[in-house]
Amino acid sequence: MEMENKWNFQGNGELKPEPPTTVRGVLTMIMQNLNKDDQRSIIPLGHGDPSAFPCFRTSISAEDAIVDSVRSGKFNCYSPSVGILPARRAIAEYLSNDLPYNLSPDDVYLTIGCTQAIEVVLTAISLSNPVANILLSRPGFPYYETRAACSNLEVRRYDLLPEQGWEVDLEALESLADENTVAMVIINPGNPCGNVYTSQHLKKIAETARKLGILVIADEVYDHLTFANTPFVPMGTFGSVVPVLTLGSISKRWIVPGWRLGWIVTCDPNAILQKSGIMKSITGCLEVSSDAPTFIQAAIPQIIENTKEDFFLKIVEMLRGAADICFDKLNEIPCITCPSKPEGSMFVMVKLNLSLFDDISDDVEFSLKLAKEESVIVLPGVSVGLKNWLRITFACDHSILEDGLGRIKGFCGRHAKKQ
């Protein structure tokens, strides 16, 4: 009789059996509830990737830059761990246009999209200080919490205030911090709320972070995707007040999330981050990580230089029109409350009025039933930190958006309590 082997590997019993969720994981679960017999098209209002819609196709000049890079035959090689110099120089110049000081290529570290930028920064923080904690927004982008759990990094949640345009509750944030708090994350323009912070509010954030002695991680992946009265102001504008790590990518502004090119940028004229050793940790993490594709990196200077302003204006106009449609149509649905019209990014947060429903108990049940009955995908708010809310993406073809919101209205009418 064969003896049973004793294996030395096992799971870590101290880890949570159900780690924090990801947007992708939640949407996959919801899509498994689709009714395969429904002949209507599936309407994706759950994720921020409008690239499948022809009206959101990237610029021809960006596509040409990729083709030129590949056909040159010069970029089939490995990349330096921090990225190739021409791409870092181009990104430094691009971001410097919005700052009161100039960045250098040495301030730029290239990553595989903004996702890897998050991974690298949080890993570096946890390695630099094993007892560190960070402050994340509620609601927020759940990958930060997921990645923090992987790095055994404690997370503390500060609230965004829907009645104040989703501004940071700075007084409450201060009460969360202690001697082990090292950073706070802000997302501007906002995911999942569609808000855009004013320069005045960003300055208050910088002053609060300085008072607490923490750095600001500024997720600006939706930079310049604003379409109301508040212009985009980078957090790095206040880099002389508090050190800032800016995370970004070409994914959203150029509508190419599949190209996987992002960055970490130090907006820190006083060189506090270098002196602290955190940048050495970030470089170390990049040296043991995969690199962004070299041919994509090589195309970056041409992509930035040759993309015409008309392309960006067209995308912003598409989003403005979609936001108008979304806000107006949602306000026609009694069971849903939309606290404010989105001003940026591709999302809006809406609250479910559960007391008006007959047979829906929470946001997850709403999303699962909506997928099954109407073939419309939305993201339940619990996955971004707000139970019984929904995150709705409006970045899609306008006629498809109207169809999807019409289906949501019909769904709510069927499930509403009868008067």
Side-chain angles (χ1 to χ4, degrees):
M1 184 176 179
E2 185 177 344
M3 294 183 63
E4 184 178 349
N5 285 346
K6 180 181 178 182
W7 304 106
N8 294 330
F9 52 84
Q10 60 182 348
N12 184 343
E14 295 182 0
L15 292 178
K16 297 177 182 178
E18 294 184 8
T21 55
T22 64
V23 169
R24 183 178 297 181
V26 173
L27 293 178
T28 298
M29 175 194 73
I30 291 171
M31 292 189 72
Q32 290 171 347
N33 212 48
L34 288 165
N35 181 1
K36 296 179 181 178
D37 295 327
D38 191 341
Q39 299 301 308
R40 295 175 297 175
S41 61
I42 299 169
I43 298 183
L45 304 182
H47 61 65
D49 180 6
S51 62
F53 300 103
C55 58
F56 280 99
R57 181 174 175 172
T58 193
S59 68
I60 297 299
S61 57
E63 294 174 352
D64 288 344
I66 297 294
V67 172
D68 291 347
S69 177
V70 172
R71 287 184 173 168
S72 73
K74 298 177 181 179
F75 305 106
N76 300 324
C77 54
Y78 290 120
S79 162
S81 59
V82 296
I84 64 174
L85 179 59
R88 291 187 291 120
R89 180 183 293 117
I91 291 167
E93 293 173 355
Y94 165 69
L95 296 177
S96 294
N97 290 331
D98 297 318
L99 295 172
Y101 52 88
N102 289 325
L103 299 168
S104 81
D106 292 338
D107 293 315
V108 180
Y109 304 74
L110 299 187
T111 58
I112 306 173
C114 199
T115 299
Q116 191 192 36
I118 295 170
E119 294 173 2
V120 167
V121 168
L122 296 192
T123 300
I125 287 174
S126 67
L127 291 174
S128 301
N129 183 351
V131 296
N133 66 71
I134 61 170
L135 308 179
L136 302 181
S137 66
R138 179 174 50 228
F141 183 53
Y143 191 71
Y144 281 96
E145 188 169 357
T146 301
R147 192 64 220 180
C150 293
S151 300
N152 202 29
L153 187 62
E154 181 189 349
V155 164
R156 299 180 181 183
R157 290 281 194 180
Y158 65 86
D159 288 323
L160 304 183
L161 304 171
E163 67 279 6
Q164 296 180 27
W166 300 103
E167 288 188 342
V168 176
D169 186 342
L170 291 171
E171 184 176 340
L173 180 144
E174 281 195 54
S175 69
L176 293 172
D178 63 17
E179 68 277 6
N180 293 320
T181 305
V182 298
M184 65 175 291
V185 175
I186 66 164
I187 304 174
N188 182 50
N191 175 12
C193 302
N195 57 298
V196 181
Y197 290 139
T198 63
S199 178
Q200 293 84 354
H201 189 60
L202 291 172
K203 184 179 180 182
K204 290 179 181 178
I205 291 172
E207 290 169 344
T208 301
R210 180 186 180 92
K211 177 181 176 181
L212 296 173
I214 64 177
L215 67 94
V216 177
I217 301 168
D219 184 327
E220 296 177 352
V221 72
Y222 291 95
D223 67 333
H224 293 287
L225 293 184
T226 63
F227 34 83
N229 295 325
T230 307
F232 168 70
V233 176
M235 188 69 211
T237 301
F238 304 99
S240 59
V241 177
V242 64
V244 176
L245 284 176
T246 297
L247 313 186
S249 78
I250 62 171
S251 297
K252 307 301 183 179
R253 197 179 187 204
W254 273 269
I255 320 293
V256 288
W259 290 9
R260 312 312 300 139
L261 194 289
W263 52 78
I264 303 165
V265 174
T266 57
C267 296
D268 181 27
N270 301 318
I272 295 170
L273 295 171
Q274 288 289 353
K275 295 171 186 174
S276 71
I278 189 71
M279 299 319 300
K280 185 176 181 180
S281 296
I282 285 175
T283 302
C285 289
L286 288 169
E287 287 174 349
V288 294
S289 302
S290 298
D291 307 319
T294 311
F295 73 93
I296 301 286
Q297 294 186 44
I300 288 297
Q302 191 175 330
I303 289 173
I304 292 175
E305 182 179 354
N306 293 348
T307 301
K308 304 299 183 187
E309 190 63 25
D310 287 350
F311 167 76
F312 297 127
L313 292 174
K314 174 197 164 192
I315 295 299
V316 167
E317 282 304 312
M318 286 291 299
L319 291 172
R320 178 182 286 112
D324 289 343
I325 292 168
C326 193
F327 186 68
D328 292 343
K329 295 294 183 183
L330 287 170
N331 280 330
E332 296 175 1
I333 306 174
C335 301
I336 290 177
T337 299
C338 185
S340 57
K341 189 174 183 179
E343 296 187 336
S345 76
M346 303 175 177
F347 310 103
V348 65
M349 287 292 289
V350 299
K351 187 175 184 178
L352 293 175
N353 302 320
L354 291 176
S355 63
L356 301 180
F357 286 106
D358 185 43
D359 57 351
I360 292 176
S361 60
D362 60 29
D363 53 325
V364 174
E365 185 178 10
F366 180 99
S367 302
L368 290 169
K369 286 185 174 179
L370 179 67
K372 187 172 185 178
E373 297 179 24
E374 297 290 352
S375 295
V376 176
I377 307 298
V378 297
L379 187 72
V382 68
S383 60
V384 296
L386 275 189
K387 186 175 175 61
N388 298 328
W389 289 65
L390 304 172
R391 189 192 77 171
I392 296 176
T393 306
F394 51 82
C396 62
D397 179 275
H398 290 181
S399 62
I400 294 174
L401 178 62
E402 291 194 35
D403 184 8
L405 294 170
R407 294 189 203 179
I408 292 174
K409 183 178 181 180
F411 172 85
C412 289
R414 285 197 311 276
H415 290 274
K417 289 179 179 178
K418 306 306 180 213
Q419 299 297 326

